[in-house]
């Protein structure tokens, strides 16, 4: 079976990525396979740039085709923040959520979107990037235990539950990550299937 490296250190993200790719004829290898994998500085100014940095580093390190996900929550009333800084916004999920709710205290506009960029790197080059978004609102307090990150405070449009309350199958159908992965899979099927098969 063809192999591809998922360049993420976030185990919950990896679980979602593996599920989204489960119908594909591909083995998704995690970075945990590479014990001395270096820390990669995400110094890009966009989700696409950071996904590209991570995918390229993994492709160069492993010599296997690689892809990376850079994602985050963009809040309208905070001029798009935390955005690409979502993971660095505070020390852990609980503190990130508390800080965000605090920043929105008294704010009537609670519109937000999750964004996910997926970059694919192959033979030392970034081949393509894909972006998925899902729009919704920030709830008043955290609810639910599924998912990860900001899921307990994000209510997608068309639902009255947070991503952390909804079953994971629903999130996997509609999320920013699902949209970006779907576009990436379509591209690989259309344009790259031969390269992947030759390579592996
Ligand atoms: P890698 O860079 O190693 O993949 P990371 O967690 O640091 O791991 P990012 O730099 O892409 O990943 O930061 C994404 C952050 O955005 C993540 O840590 C969450 O806080 C948030 N996030 C992204 N997707 C999310 C989702 O589906 N649900 C909830 N929060 C999400």
């Amino acid at each position: 079976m063809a192999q591809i490296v998922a360049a993420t250190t976030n185990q919950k993200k990896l679980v979602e990525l593996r599920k989204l790719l489960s119908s594909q004829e591909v083995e998704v290898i995690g970075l945990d396979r590479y014990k001395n994998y270096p820390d990669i500085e995400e110094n890009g100014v966009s989700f696409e740039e950071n996904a590209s940095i991570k995918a390229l580093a993994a492709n160069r390190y492993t010599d296997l085709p690689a892809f990376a996900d850079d994602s985050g929550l963009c809040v309208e009333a905070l001029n798009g923040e935390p955005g690409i800084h979502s993971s660095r916004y505070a020390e852990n999920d609980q503190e990130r959520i508390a800080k965000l709710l605090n920043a929105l205290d008294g704010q009537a506009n609670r519109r937000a979107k999750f964004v996910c960029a997926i970059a694919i790197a192959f033979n030392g080059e970034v081949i393509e990037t894909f972006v998925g978004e899902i729009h919704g609102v920030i709830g008043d307090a955290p609810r639910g235990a599924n998912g990860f990150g900001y899921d307990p405070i994000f209510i997608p449009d068309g639902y009255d539950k947070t991503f952390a309350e909804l079953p994971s199958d629903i999130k996997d159908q509609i999320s920013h990550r699902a949209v970006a992965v779907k576009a990436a899979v379509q591209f690989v099927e259309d344009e790259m299937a031969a390269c992947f098969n030759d390579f592996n």
Side-chain angles (χ1 to χ4, degrees), residues 16 114 134-135 143-148 150-156 159 161-168 170-172 174-176:
E16 285 190 10
F114 269 126
I134 180 158
H135 294 249
R143 294 196 321 247
N146 297 331
F148 68 98
Y150 299 89
D151 281 344
I153 52 168
F154 183 80
I155 303 166
Y159 295 81
K161 289 184 161 55
T162 69
F163 259 166
E165 292 178 303
L166 288 167
S168 62
I170 305 253
K171 181 179 178 192
D172 291 342
I174 64 173
S175 78
H176 49 315

Side-chain angles (χ1 to χ4, degrees), residues 8-10 13 42 54 69-72 86-87 114 148-151 171 176-177:
T8 180
T9 54
N10 179 330
K13 201 194 248 187
E42 294 176 33
K54 291 188 273 190
D69 159 320
D70 198 67
S71 42
S86 291
S87 129
F114 269 126
F148 68 98
Y150 299 89
D151 281 344
K171 181 179 178 192
H176 49 315
R177 185 159 295 107

